[in-house]
């Protein structure tokens, strides 16, 4: 399809490596007569007081601008994306699409206590106020966060890469576990996708009670655990406290092995050490949050989401259906 305007793709500083890989994948999708997609030049000037100011080195007048940045803490990552959206709008971009592999602040999606903020809604409002016309993101903490946006949201799932990856491992006696009751739907969907006509993939639910945020006091497993190779699936791993405790509980129930599969590897604090010291055999995460230090890690394996995002960007730009890119 011939466009009256062009595509320009830029990245903020925190997601540069991810964006470079997306560019490589995007160029695989282009037709022979289409120009090659390149990563646009974006300069960020830092001031001595900690402020910074982004500037597009290339003209974006009349272009569809894709801005790629995960918004994990520190808050500078979100602020940099907002400033870039504003700069693109003021430079007469036709459309600005925020590509956010990991949408930070998503756990603050409701008032679970009195007098607290709903950070996910505020972040959605800020993106719209800055001038974003569309958002692309992956595995939101809760699907209904899409409703916080008054602009279109393309919400993709890491199951698109994880399910084929797990299948390729050919684990016998496979069962999928949810680390808490809230993850039951995700675990059930993975189990359904991984079941074959010869063998059903079981589902195990872990019921946990919390003393306070990030501190779990007790976990009980519900389901057939004994003799199973179990994969715990979740949308993120933060401190890894719940994950490691759940793995220990499942092993004590007679599991053959326990692995974990989580989209966003936040891995804050002592998370990596906890994973290495735990009974987890392997942990699979995606590259939505950058962890270059884990490239050769013996236990934590990184599966790339760049091909999925490249496919979505290409299809949205060409007004094609993106439903084939969803598993669930």
């Amino acid at each position: 399809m011939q466009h009256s305007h062009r595509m320009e793709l830029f990245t903020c500083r925190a997601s540069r490596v991810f964006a470079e890989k997306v560019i490589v994948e995007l160029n695989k999708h282009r037709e022979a007569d289409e120009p090659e997609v390149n990563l646009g030049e974006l300069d960020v000037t830092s001031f001595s007081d900690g402020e910074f100011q982004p500037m597009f080195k290339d003209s974006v007048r009349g272009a569809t601008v894709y801005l790629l940045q995960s918004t994990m803490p520190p808050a500078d990552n979100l602020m940099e994306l907002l400033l870039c959206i504003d700069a693109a709008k003021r430079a007469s971009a036709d459309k600005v699409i925020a590509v956010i592999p990991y949408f930070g602040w998503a756990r603050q999606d409701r008032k679970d206590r009195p007098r607290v903020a709903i950070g996910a809604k505020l972040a959605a409002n800020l993106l719209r106020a800055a001038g974003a016309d569309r958002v692309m993101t992956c595995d939101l903490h809760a699907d209904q966060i899409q409703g916080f946006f008054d602009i279109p949201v393309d919400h993709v799932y890491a199951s698109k890469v994880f399910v084929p990856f797990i299948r390729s491992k050919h684990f016998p006696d496979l069962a999928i576990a949810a680390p808490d009751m809230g993850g039951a739907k995700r675990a059930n969907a993975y189990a359904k996708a991984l079941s074959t006509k010869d063998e059903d993939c079981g589902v195990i639910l872990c019921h946990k009670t919390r003393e306070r945020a990030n501190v779990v006091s007790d976990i009980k497993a519900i389901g057939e655990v004994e003799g199973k190779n179990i994969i715990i699936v979740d949308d993120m791993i933060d401190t890894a406290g719940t994950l490691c405790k759940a793995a220990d509980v499942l092993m004590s129930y007679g599991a053959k092995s326990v692995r974990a599969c989580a989209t966003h590897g936040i891995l804050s604090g002592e998370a990596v050490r906890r994973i290495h010291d735990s009974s987890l055999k392997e942990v699979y995460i995606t590259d939505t949050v950058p962890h270059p230090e884990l490239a050769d890690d013996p236990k934590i394996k990184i599966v790339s989401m760049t091909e999925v995002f490249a496919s979505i960007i290409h299809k949205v730009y060409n007004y094609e259906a993106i439903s084939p890119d969803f598993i669930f």
Side-chain angles (χ1 to χ4, degrees), residues 102-103 106-107 139 141 234-238 262-266:
Y102 169 59
F103 180 67
R107 281 175 285 183
D139 272 346
H141 189 60
D234 208 353
D235 64 313
M236 66 173 69
I237 302 171
D238 187 358
T263 309
H264 310 298
I266 314 299

Side-chain angles (χ1 to χ4, degrees), residues 85 89 93-98 127-128 131-135 151-152:
I85 294 168
K89 277 301 202 188
D94 180 55
K95 289 180 186 168
V96 180
I97 299 173
L127 288 161
R128 183 71 188 95
D133 295 290
R134 187 182 202 98
V135 166
I151 53 177

Side-chain angles (χ1 to χ4, degrees), residues 173 175 204 224-231 246-259 279:
D173 304 311
I204 297 156
E224 189 183 336
V225 176
E226 195 168 345
K228 296 289 186 181
N229 288 304
I230 297 170
I231 299 178
D248 292 340
V249 167
L250 291 167
M251 287 301 287
S252 73
Y253 277 52
K256 270 190 204 171
S257 68
V258 181
R259 293 170 175 83
S279 53

Side-chain angles (χ1 to χ4, degrees), residues 221-326:
I222 305 161
E224 189 183 336
V225 176
E226 195 168 345
K228 296 289 186 181
N229 288 304
I230 297 170
I231 299 178
I232 301 170
V233 295
D234 208 353
D235 64 313
M236 66 173 69
I237 302 171
D238 187 358
T239 62
T242 300
L243 179 65
C244 294
K245 194 160 188 174
D248 292 340
V249 167
L250 291 167
M251 287 301 287
S252 73
Y253 277 52
K256 270 190 204 171
S257 68
V258 181
R259 293 170 175 83
C261 179
T263 309
H264 310 298
I266 314 299
L267 304 179
S268 62
E270 296 289 305
V272 174
R273 181 192 59 76
R274 283 194 189 104
I275 289 168
H276 285 163
D277 294 345
S278 74
S279 53
L280 285 160
K281 199 169 181 68
E282 285 181 315
V283 172
Y284 314 127
I285 59 173
T286 75
D287 50 357
T288 56
V289 178
H291 284 291
E293 76 283 2
L294 297 175
D296 300 312
D297 193 274
K299 194 176 265 195
I300 302 170
K301 311 296 180 187
I302 298 173
V303 183
S304 184
M305 282 293 293
T306 50
E307 199 283 326
V308 174
F309 272 94
S311 176
I312 296 292
I313 289 169
H314 175 80
K315 287 178 177 178
V316 167
Y317 183 68
N318 288 290
Y319 307 110
E320 296 174 13
I322 62 171
S323 49
D325 283 277
F326 293 82

Side-chain angles (χ1 to χ4, degrees), residues 57-307:
K57 297 290 286 290
D58 308 315
S59 171
V60 296
R61 185 178 298 277
T64 298
V65 174
Y66 290 80
L67 282 166
L68 201 147
Q69 172 86 316
S70 283
T71 57
M72 61 280 182
D76 281 4
N77 290 326
L78 174 59
M79 191 66 193
E80 187 175 334
L81 177 59
L82 295 171
L83 288 169
C84 287
I85 294 168
D86 185 68
K89 277 301 202 188
R90 293 177 188 278
S92 302
D94 180 55
K95 289 180 186 168
V96 180
I97 299 173
V99 183
I100 309 173
Y102 169 59
F103 180 67
W105 314 93
R107 281 175 285 183
Q108 298 181 38
D109 59 353
R110 65 197 184 284
K111 281 187 70 174
D112 54 351
R113 291 173 296 156
R115 300 176 296 282
V116 296
I118 302 179
K121 173 61 176 167
L122 177 60
N125 286 347
L126 288 168
L127 288 161
R128 183 71 188 95
D133 295 290
R134 187 182 202 98
V135 166
M136 295 178 179
T137 190
C138 174
D139 272 346
L140 288 166
H141 189 60
D143 286 353
Q144 57 268 31
I145 290 172
Q146 295 171 70
F148 289 177
F149 291 88
D150 296 323
I151 53 177
V153 176
D154 297 310
H155 182 218
V156 300
Y157 297 95
S159 54
K160 176 75 176 175
V161 294
F162 276 144
V163 167
F165 179 80
I166 294 167
R167 275 199 200 114
S168 72
K169 297 285 187 177
H170 303 293
F171 296 119
D173 304 311
L174 181 65
I176 300 295
D180 52 39
M181 302 306 276
K185 182 183 172 188
R186 180 183 287 106
N188 193 53
Y190 268 81
K192 190 176 176 183
L194 290 164
S195 291
T196 64
K197 61 181 180 181
D198 301 319
E199 188 178 5
D200 269 346
C201 182
V203 178
I204 297 156
L205 301 181
C206 296
H207 176 63
K208 67 182 177 185
T209 53
R210 284 191 186 275
E211 287 178 3
R212 58 184 186 279
N214 293 125
V215 179
V216 175
S217 60
D218 188 39
I219 294 179
K220 291 182 175 66
I222 305 161
E224 189 183 336
V225 176
E226 195 168 345
K228 296 289 186 181
N229 288 304
I230 297 170
I231 299 178
I232 301 170
V233 295
D234 208 353
D235 64 313
M236 66 173 69
I237 302 171
D238 187 358
T239 62
T242 300
L243 179 65
C244 294
K245 194 160 188 174
D248 292 340
V249 167
L250 291 167
M251 287 301 287
S252 73
Y253 277 52
K256 270 190 204 171
S257 68
V258 181
R259 293 170 175 83
C261 179
T263 309
H264 310 298
I266 314 299
L267 304 179
S268 62
E270 296 289 305
V272 174
R273 181 192 59 76
R274 283 194 189 104
I275 289 168
H276 285 163
D277 294 345
S278 74
S279 53
L280 285 160
K281 199 169 181 68
E282 285 181 315
V283 172
Y284 314 127
I285 59 173
T286 75
D287 50 357
T288 56
V289 178
H291 284 291
E293 76 283 2
L294 297 175
D296 300 312
D297 193 274
K299 194 176 265 195
I300 302 170
K301 311 296 180 187
I302 298 173
V303 183
S304 184
M305 282 293 293
T306 50
E307 199 283 326

